[in-house]
Amino acid sequence: MSLLAPVAAAFGLIVPAIIALYFLKVRRPQVPVSSTLLWRSLTKDRQAGVPWQRLRFSWLLALQLLAAMALVVALMRPAHSAPAPLAAHTILMVDTSAPMQTTDVHPSRFAEARRRAAQIIGRMGPQDRVSLVELSSQPKVLASAVGDRNALRRALDRMAPGNASADLSQALALAASLSGSGSDTELVLLSDGITQPLPAPVSLPFRLSYQPIGASGENLAITALSAQPGPAGQGGFVHVQNFGTRHRDTTLDWRVDGKLLNARSLSLDGGSGTDVSFPLPSGAQQLSATLQPGDAFALDDTAWALARPAAGERVLLVSPDGNVFLQQALRVLPGLQLTTVTSTAFDAGTATQPADLYIFDRFLPPALPNAPLLLVAPPTSTVVPTGQAFSPGTLQPAGPDPLLAGVNLADAHVAAARDLSHANFGLPFITSEDGPVVLRRDAPTRGVLVGFDLHDSDLPLRAAFPILVDRLTTWLLPQASQPSFRPGAEVPLGVTGGGLSVTRPDGSVVPIAADAGSGPAVFADTNEVGIYEVARTANGRRQVLSHFAVNVSSPDVSAVAPVAHPNLASSIAPATSGTTRKRPQEWWPWVGGAALIILSAEWAVFHRGL
């Protein structure tokens, strides 16, 4: 046992004070009476008021002394060391990402995580505080250092699983901001461990306890669905992957514009995949593929895609020598009609056909067309002013950008480039140690400015080049690209102005607020998978502008096998200490209650006259 406030023992001086008051002489007026028979009790009381007399037993004095000593002991806060179920501050991080919808744990991994979180909240002590953090693509704090169990349960009930992957790096940063200066803090991570990898090691100021959730990694998934043009017309392409270890038989059916087109039986060994191709009827617009029957993770059993326009988009490449690198990268892209002319022919006006995308390689016309542009190593002019030549060396992204996701620029080098710092064309897209080498803009028309000649770099020889050309073409021609996005992604709609709205797959319509001067609209409410429709309403008429698809279609999400340890950097490890957390268990409420009982007994004795 220990005393948390031993200084309070000074209040023990109240005990001799009570005794002194008990012996204090009481001065009373003297009145003669005929007999003392009826006044014997008064005589005893008078004798008690005489100081320094022999102490006589009194129930009142005994009870008063016991109550005083009990109060003094309560003020000293006696306590003993007892096991504590929770830290003084527990940060509960509950995973709400897409893999948590897996039903290998009844009724689902997320439901199990929420049940465990409720159990932890139920073990809270009077002084314990709990913070609740949602681990998702955009983590958020639902409760911060709350001691009210009911408030925490209500916040827990508001959680729901989403369709995106979990951003553990941002969630850990949120948790670190909640820890404060308290030393007794612990993070409890309730997850299956399937998260986005940390970009860099993270140092946490508290212990980490990881509780893995999930029992199986068996899952069949559609990881790719697209419509591609071919010699006989457009065709559909599907890739089905078995992420489990057991042999699986399934049926793949595909639909076009909501109507069943065909079905095929598939047999896949554990860890294997297969590709399926099928022809599409003329005029097909939307297609979907589904695996039957479904499995424990139903989110990737269906995928959606959009067919490209049959006519294709017109791309005009203007170059002194044709630029073989650009021609090869553009010709493999589906849905594009590529025309190549020399700069001399373009100047002479012999190539006057309009295009949906103009690519000017080492050439600039007197006036730029009002259409999407890709400018490669243009000569300096008043139209696009460029600076002095410099040697940029290794390339790198100018910042986080979805167009550069998965594009490896580390092994690409540029020998010579033009300074684009004062080009006044757009914002840096790809840069180097000495300055930007590629700019990108949204208005007045979409455009990309490359400040170096492709022949002065090894970029066309790298795997990143065709991917980069595909991404930029897709972005420059949003009406023709019909891309597919992941849940939670921000989708550039490629249009500006008012009256815009997006119809989600569930039929709900989300209006897009017009923000003057902000460039093309962006839509971020993409948690639901399926086909989205972009439309504009003007003068009472609704015009459909474009569509885009949202699919899981990611091995990072479909590989649902729970991991023994979360995807953490080497500097972070779950708490493995075998020591039991101890916390002082105070007795003062019990001692204080005993003092009240003694005082109640003293009151009863006093009124009974004992």
Side-chain angles (χ1 to χ4, degrees):
M1 187 187 75
S2 60
L3 299 175
L4 301 183
V7 180
F11 287 99
L13 296 175
I14 194 175
V15 174
I18 292 175
I19 296 176
L21 289 173
Y22 191 84
F23 286 120
L24 185 64
K25 184 176 181 179
V26 181
R27 296 181 180 272
R28 297 184 178 90
Q30 294 184 1
V31 179
V33 295
S34 59
S35 174
T36 62
L37 179 64
L38 301 176
W39 299 89
R40 289 180 179 176
S41 59
L42 181 61
T43 303
K44 294 180 180 179
D45 187 48
R46 179 179 177 84
Q47 291 174 349
V50 178
W52 315 116
Q53 64 173 323
R54 183 174 62 85
L55 184 64
R56 292 181 176 84
F57 178 79
S58 171
W59 281 107
L60 287 176
L61 177 60
L63 293 173
Q64 289 170 2
L65 293 178
L66 283 175
M69 289 186 290
L71 289 175
V72 171
V73 172
L75 290 173
M76 295 170 66
R77 297 176 62 188
H80 71 280
S81 182
L86 299 179
H89 182 199
T90 300
I91 303 175
L92 275 178
M93 186 177 292
V94 181
D95 192 346
T96 62
S97 61
M100 294 296 287
Q101 299 183 41
T102 309
T103 57
D104 58 336
V105 177
H106 182 76
S108 69
R109 293 181 182 180
F110 171 74
E112 174 65 15
R114 190 161 59 178
R115 184 189 67 81
R116 294 189 191 182
Q119 287 182 342
I120 293 174
I121 292 173
R123 295 199 301 267
M124 289 175 58
Q127 306 300 322
D128 292 339
R129 294 295 180 266
V130 171
S131 296
L132 194 58
V133 178
E134 179 178 320
L135 174 57
S136 60
S137 60
Q138 296 180 341
K140 50 183 172 289
V141 178
L142 302 182
S144 177
V146 175
D148 186 351
R149 296 182 182 180
N150 292 328
L152 289 168
R153 291 189 179 104
R154 288 193 296 269
L156 191 62
D157 290 339
R158 291 196 300 268
M159 282 189 174
N163 296 334
S165 57
D167 188 345
L168 183 59
S169 177
Q170 186 178 350
L172 291 177
L174 278 179
S177 68
L178 294 173
S179 63
S181 58
S183 58
D184 190 12
T185 301
E186 182 176 8
L187 170 64
V188 179
L189 176 59
L190 303 173
S191 170
D192 53 15
I194 305 172
T195 64
Q196 300 175 15
L198 294 180
V202 179
S203 179
L204 296 180
F206 41 67
R207 295 183 301 274
L208 172 64
S209 175
Y210 169 56
Q211 296 188 18
I213 298 177
S216 172
E218 298 300 322
N219 181 41
L220 281 178
I222 298 175
T223 58
L225 173 65
S226 62
Q228 300 178 356
Q234 285 200 106
F237 170 82
V238 184
H239 181 79
V240 181
Q241 184 72 31
N242 183 359
F243 288 93
T245 59
R246 300 199 305 263
H247 179 87
R248 295 286 301 275
D249 294 325
T250 187
T251 300
L252 173 69
D253 64 55
W254 51 91
R255 299 173 182 268
V256 174
D257 298 328
K259 297 180 180 180
L260 180 64
L261 188 64
N262 207 338
R264 182 179 300 178
S265 297
L266 303 177
S267 182
L268 291 91
D269 294 329
S272 65
T274 185
D275 297 327
V276 178
S277 300
F278 51 89
L280 293 177
S282 176
Q285 296 181 356
Q286 300 179 9
L287 60 149
S288 64
T290 304
L291 296 176
Q292 299 286 354
D295 52 21
F297 185 51
L299 197 60
D300 57 10
D301 292 341
T302 301
W304 293 263
L306 296 164
R308 292 179 180 268
E313 296 297 302
R314 298 163 297 179
V315 177
L316 179 62
L317 171 60
V318 183
S319 174
D321 53 12
N323 199 322
V324 177
F325 297 133
L326 282 173
Q327 289 190 55
Q328 290 180 344
L330 291 168
R331 282 172 177 166
V332 298
L333 299 181
L336 296 182
Q337 294 181 355
L338 177 63
T339 302
T340 302
V341 299
T342 64
S343 53
T344 304
F346 189 88
D347 271 339
T350 58
T352 58
Q353 66 271 26
D356 300 299
L357 170 62
Y358 290 87
I359 302 177
F360 296 114
D361 174 46
R362 294 165 289 166
F363 166 78
L364 273 182
L368 294 176
N370 186 25
L373 300 168
L374 174 57
L375 310 180
V376 181
T380 184
S381 68
T382 56
V383 178
V384 181
T386 57
Q388 298 296 322
F390 71 101
S391 180
T394 304
L395 305 182
Q396 58 188 12
D401 196 308
L403 293 182
L404 292 176
V407 178
N408 182 18
L409 298 173
D411 59 350
H413 305 81
V414 176
R418 287 282 183 175
D419 182 11
L420 302 181
S421 302
H422 306 289
N424 195 26
F425 182 86
L427 298 177
F429 177 60
I430 298 176
T431 187
S432 66
E433 293 183 357
D434 296 324
V437 296
V438 180
L439 304 181
R440 182 164 66 98
R441 74 179 188 188
D442 287 307
T445 58
R446 288 192 171 186
V448 175
L449 171 60
V450 180
F452 59 91
D453 188 346
L454 295 178
H455 299 85
D456 292 335
S457 75
D458 58 3
L459 177 61
L461 306 179
R462 306 303 182 207
F465 182 68
I467 300 175
L468 185 60
V469 172
D470 185 20
R471 298 273 181 86
L472 290 177
T473 306
T474 296
W475 179 77
L476 289 167
L477 294 170
Q479 303 298 328
S481 59
Q482 312 292 2
S484 177
F485 298 89
R486 290 189 179 188
E490 293 185 351
V491 178
L493 302 182
V495 289
T496 58
L500 295 175
S501 64
V502 176
T503 302
R504 304 172 74 245
D506 60 1
S508 61
V509 179
V510 181
I512 306 298
D515 189 1
S518 63
V522 175
F523 185 71
D525 187 11
T526 56
N527 182 65
E528 188 178 356
V529 295
I531 301 294
Y532 291 71
E533 181 180 87
V534 183
R536 186 194 302 275
T537 302
N539 300 324
R541 298 184 61 182
R542 183 174 182 273
Q543 177 187 7
V544 177
L545 302 179
S546 62
H547 296 81
F548 62 90
V550 174
N551 292 300
V552 173
S553 299
S554 170
D556 297 337
V557 176
S558 296
V560 297
V563 297
H565 299 285
N567 193 5
L568 300 175
S570 58
S571 64
I572 309 176
T576 56
S577 172
T579 59
T580 304
R581 183 187 296 111
K582 298 288 186 179
R583 185 179 304 165
Q585 185 70 36
E586 298 192 38
W587 296 0
W588 72 262
W590 305 100
V591 180
L596 290 177
I597 294 175
I598 295 172
L599 286 176
S600 300
E602 189 270 346
W603 179 84
V605 170
F606 174 77
H607 282 278
R608 287 180 177 273
L610 298 178

